Amino acid sequence: NGELALNYERICGSKGYSYDYFQAQERYKHNPVWIENHAYHRRLVVAPETMDEIGYEDCDFVSQEDHWYWWRQFASWKIRVELHLPCRDPIDHLLSNCNYANVIFNCEGDLVNEISRCLLYMDRFNNSLNGSRDFPNFNVKCFRSELTSKYIEYMGTRLQRKRFQSTYAFRPTNKARNKRYECLWQNESAKLQVENYLKELDYYKFCNKCIDSPDDLLAYWNQELLHSRSSSPGAQEHEAATFERLGQDLVLYGHIHMAKTGGSSLNGELALNYERICGSKGYSYDYFQAQERYK
């Protein structure tokens, strides 16, 4: 969420929005401890009620940490909704959750109970999201979570780059793990039982079917990318030159809002219908919902 919001337009997520992420990260780099303790006030975490107030009409990419049914609001939109599900090795994922929840998994205890102590927020995915009657315009695709950098590269072919690019400052959301103290790696019997239990859960079952299938975003795209670059050795240089030329042609337009010259309406109409309008009488990113509340 953060890396996309930093470098691409119209990213809307609980961990950052495109329109102000650059400055939010600059504040984090200068004082990370204070920012982490006041994340909601420094824009690196966006509260659900704030996201709903802004609305999603100006988004190309939405990242949300909520119950799977939250996505139902987009089922009536006259567009296709493609959800991307990160898939992780079940045991590694479980133990990462244990670490986050400060739980030490006990291989000698009731394994189902131990699993339930660790698995967090599994209600964020449901098979219904994949084109069911309630979600007719949806489909779900997947990618291996350890290939996040490749996923960012893939999304870069789908999203609009910002005019100013920057390097993402990683913000850890979990403390460091020590696998020597994670008993499942040494206890094959317990590990097998846990794996058999996990693979029956919707999330892991879907991932098992999706990874390396045509719905795996990166499985075939990486091969296509390599083939494209090998068959057109000058393609990357051409893309870079084109981007540089476009950058030189970009213009920032300024509106001098003289009193009583129709500037408020001008600002509002542009913000309603065009991207990256930033004015004292309205911003593109949330003007649609602001006007709905006004009406």
Side-chain angles (χ1 to χ4, degrees), residues 26 96 106 115 177 264 281:
E26 289 301 300
S96 179
N106 180 10
I115 292 170
R177 286 165 58 192
S264 296
K281 296 301 171 67

Side-chain angles (χ1 to χ4, degrees), residues 89-95 98 105-116 118-119 183-185 187-201 204:
D89 172 78
I91 297 297
D92 193 45
H93 187 220
L94 173 70
L95 293 175
C98 291
F105 193 94
N106 180 10
C107 291
E108 305 302 324
D110 180 336
L111 294 179
V112 173
N113 182 62
E114 292 298 301
I115 292 170
S116 67
C118 290
L119 279 188
C183 64
L184 283 176
W185 301 117
N187 191 323
E188 285 298 325
S189 175
K191 182 171 179 282
L192 180 60
Q193 293 179 64
V194 170
E195 284 178 332
N196 288 336
Y197 180 88
L198 292 177
K199 71 180 183 181
E200 295 303 316
L201 301 182
Y204 298 110

